[in-house]
Structures are given as structure tokens and as C-alpha cells.
Amino acid sequence: MENLFEKHTVEARMLDFSEGFTEKAIPVEIRKDCFTGTVSRVLKSRMRFPQASHEPEMIEASRHNCPFCPENLARSTPKFPADLVPEGRICFGRSTVLPNAFPYSRYCGVTVISDEHYISLDRFSVEKLFSALKASTLFIERIKANARDVSYASINWNYMPGSGGGLIHPHIQVVVNRRPTHFHGRLMRSSADYKMVHGANYWADLVEFEKQNKSRYLFNYGGIEFISLFSPGGMFGEILSIFKNMSSIRDLTDETLDSYARGLTRLLKSFHRMHLNNLNMTLLMSLEDDDGFWIQARTVPRVSLPPLGTSDVNYFEKGHDEVIVIISPEDLAEEIRLTD
Ligand SMILES: [Zn+2]
């Protein structure tokens, strides 16, 4: 396992004007996860948590004509055709699944988490997240039953505009596909290759390695392991949640969804404490059993950097497929473990 994690450090030299132009060497740690192919550059010298939170004025203004608020939802959002979802929209608890008005796949749902227009990251309860996850899996199961040509699904979240979210009202997005997406497919192929070469499940080996190593391991809820990734895909790191021994949607029982909601709630509270107030989450699954690939979620905190509101995505990621990271994955893990 260790061979799959490559790391080396280079130094950039400069004469520092703030210290009488004395020479200074600034380290850059270049990390590669050879399994996922992710390359990141960890710049510990840039570390600084953002100060800004969401503007109350912006949230207040967005309430007007919000299609997901309860007074508008029934008349301002689409319904599914009867051959897919006979009742038009799927409801569970306080969550509602409706068609994505801007679809990017044949089967695209949006799950409105609850009737609350704005929820800060420290106020997502286990019940709210469980109900949204349950409603989303009911939608996936319904599509699986009514459209025979689907084999893969994902539950996704852009929380707030800084992560790509188009509406303030909390909602997650559910996609059901015939083929895996590019990254999902790459992970599945690498999992199958690893199994062929090593005769073992990569995800089981990864969990074991990180548990022994301790520095990036976070916690476990009901068989779901939370780990800070060695080579993350975001400026403030990336958290992987591995659903041990679970490969298909059949494994997502109420108990499992509740466990994941518990772990995710803790993660969101820790992001809130660090002022990391936007995020992307992606939960990948197969609709059939696959003994090489386990269900897994990736959560990436997203930020706008002070003082200009600078984006955390830059030319390095867009043009070089490498990610600039300003907190080491090990330091991030330590910060997250501080939150109960
Ligand atoms: Zn709303």
C-alpha cells in the first residue's frame, strides 16, 4: 500500500524583503496517489483559515421566489412522468425528490433536504441528512425498477454558491446512469486491477493501512470509515468515507444510511468550526454487487479566500490536473478529530 503513495519535497528560494532580504527556502511537497492518479502540491506555508461566513443579506434576498420553499415547491418545480414515478415526486420525512430542471443525464433527481431555506453546516441534524439520503435511495430504486438499462448511481451535493450550488435552499442531486462516470469508472478499473494483482480488496487494504498509520484516520460509524486523503482533490483537503464490505444499493439499509448521516454530521460541524463553509460531496455506488469496489463518498470543503473572495480552483487544477493544497491532510485530520 505504501508504494502507492509517492511524496517528495522541492524548495523555492527567495530573498525575503520582510527580513532584510535574507535568503529563505520555501518547501513544496508534491504528492501522488498512484491508485486514483490524483497529484497535489501541499504548501504548508500558505495555511490560513478563511474568516468570512455566508452573508445574511444574500440569504435573505434569495428567499424571494425560491422554488424549493414549501409555499412554491408544488407549483414551481417539475414532476416525473408517471412511468418513472407515478406519484410525480418522492417524499420521505421532510425531504422531496423532484426532477432536475437542468438535467445532465437521462435520470437526474434533486432532493430538497427539508422546508428550511438556509441551514448552516453546524445545524444539519442526523435526521435531516438521513431523510435526504433515504429519499434519494428511494428514487434510485424506483429508476432501477422502472428503467432496466441502469447500473450505476451517485448522490451529490454542491452546498452553497462557493461550491457551484445554484440555489441557497439545501438540496442534493441524484444521478442514475447506464455507465459509470469518468472517475467512477477509473476507480472501478483500478479496483479490479488491484484485486487481480494482489488478490485482495484495495479499499479493505487502504482502511487497514490508514488505521495503523493513524495520522489521517478520523473515525468509524457503523462500518463506515472516515479518512483524510493522502493526496486530496481540494485546497483544504478531502475526506473519503468507505462503506466496508458494501458494494451495491442493496447494502444501503436504513441502519447504514443513519450511520453515514452521523459521520457526515460530525464532518460538517468540523468544517463549520474551521470556517470552511461550502462543500462538494459525491457518493458513488453500483446497482449490482461488485466485490472489488465498495460504496464510497468523497467530501471536499470549498472556500473563497480573503480578502478578495479568490476562488480555491485555479490554473493548476484546470490546466495541469494537479491540486494546490494549503493544509496538510494530517493536520486536517487532527482538526476534524477535535470536533465531537
Ligand atoms: Zn427556499
Side-chain angles (χ1 to χ4, degrees):
M1 178 60 61
E2 209 152 6
N3 299 338
L4 293 173
F5 291 161
E6 289 177 1
K7 178 165 85 172
H8 70 278
T9 304
V10 296
E11 285 186 338
R13 295 187 305 127
M14 66 182 71
L15 307 182
D16 187 347
F17 72 92
S18 66
E19 289 179 21
F21 292 99
T22 49
E23 187 168 314
K24 200 171 176 182
I26 298 173
V28 180
E29 195 176 270
I30 302 166
R31 297 184 175 200
K32 180 174 184 184
D33 179 334
C34 299
F35 185 86
T36 60
T38 314
V39 177
S40 50
R41 292 174 179 251
V42 181
L43 319 179
K44 295 178 191 171
S45 57
R46 284 285 305 275
M47 176 51 201
R48 139 176 93 153
F49 285 119
Q51 289 301 320
S53 62
H54 304 130
E55 299 290 335
E57 298 78 21
M58 180 268 288
I59 291 166
E60 217 32 59
S62 70
R63 283 182 201 276
H64 302 296
N65 301 321
C66 168
F68 296 165
C69 271
E71 63 274 22
N72 297 328
L73 191 136
R75 60 180 170 82
S76 301
T77 63
K79 289 183 184 180
F80 290 105
D83 58 321
L84 288 179
V85 177
E87 67 272 43
R89 303 183 186 102
I90 293 172
C91 297
F92 183 89
R94 290 165 69 194
S95 305
T96 307
V97 189
L98 41 97
N100 192 330
F102 303 101
Y104 33 78
S105 186
R106 189 181 293 177
Y107 306 111
C108 260
V110 170
T111 304
V112 179
I113 293 179
S114 79
D115 49 14
E116 282 179 74
H117 180 72
Y118 169 71
I119 307 174
S120 60
L121 281 181
D122 58 328
R123 287 185 44 250
F124 278 96
S125 63
V126 173
E127 293 71 25
K128 279 191 185 90
L129 291 174
F130 171 80
S131 131
L133 291 164
K134 178 70 182 175
S136 303
T137 57
L138 289 174
F139 169 67
I140 296 168
E141 277 163 357
R142 194 71 70 84
I143 298 300
K144 184 173 178 252
N146 294 336
R148 275 161 295 171
D149 60 343
V150 293
S151 302
Y152 303 95
S154 61
I155 298 175
N156 312 275
W157 193 4
N158 296 326
Y159 174 74
M160 297 301 278
S163 73
L167 288 171
I168 299 299
H169 199 123
H171 59 286
I172 56 180
Q173 319 216 8
V174 195
V175 184
V176 189
N177 272 324
R178 190 151 65 94
R179 299 180 196 284
T181 54
H182 179 67
F183 186 61
H184 191 168
R186 192 204 301 172
L187 292 178
M188 288 178 61
R189 281 192 300 279
S190 297
S191 302
D193 291 348
Y194 186 91
K195 194 168 175 106
M196 206 159 66
V197 173
H198 301 279
N201 180 296
Y202 170 78
W203 307 102
D205 285 0
L206 177 66
V207 167
E208 200 49 41
F209 175 78
E210 294 292 7
K211 266 185 154 167
Q212 278 177 15
N213 175 284
K214 290 193 174 75
S215 61
R216 290 181 295 272
Y217 182 76
L218 297 176
F219 39 71
N220 166 306
Y221 283 85
I224 302 166
E225 306 280 4
F226 289 74
I227 294 164
S228 172
L229 279 176
F230 167 80
S231 180
M235 186 171 271
F236 279 85
E238 178 174 12
I239 306 304
L240 177 64
S241 311
I242 302 179
F243 292 55
K244 274 176 88 172
N245 295 308
M246 300 179 224
S247 63
S248 93
I249 189 165
R250 274 193 294 273
D251 297 314
L252 291 181
T253 60
D254 286 1
E255 201 183 346
T256 301
L257 292 178
D258 181 73
S259 298
Y260 178 55
R262 283 176 196 283
L264 187 56
T265 304
R266 185 168 170 189
L267 207 54
L268 302 190
K269 282 197 170 81
S270 71
F271 289 171
H272 180 81
R273 193 173 55 74
M274 290 183 262
H275 300 144
L276 307 176
N277 284 322
N278 305 265
L279 65 86
N280 297 117
M281 187 278 281
T282 296
L283 193 160
L284 302 172
M285 72 185 87
S286 298
L287 301 185
E288 305 301 333
D289 290 331
D290 176 342
D291 61 354
F293 184 79
W294 287 351
I295 295 174
Q296 52 197 265
R298 287 177 160 71
T299 311
V300 181
R302 299 288 310 277
V303 297
S304 302
L305 296 169
L308 300 178
T310 302
S311 167
D312 59 358
V313 175
N314 47 55
Y315 80 84
F316 240 100
E317 195 168 330
K318 288 292 179 199
H320 297 271
D321 200 15
E322 297 190 9
V323 181
I324 301 292
V325 181
I326 63 173
I327 180 171
S328 86
E330 295 74 24
D331 289 347
L332 177 67
E334 210 171 307
E335 287 286 345
I336 292 173
R337 282 193 296 258
L338 291 174
T339 307
D340 293 329

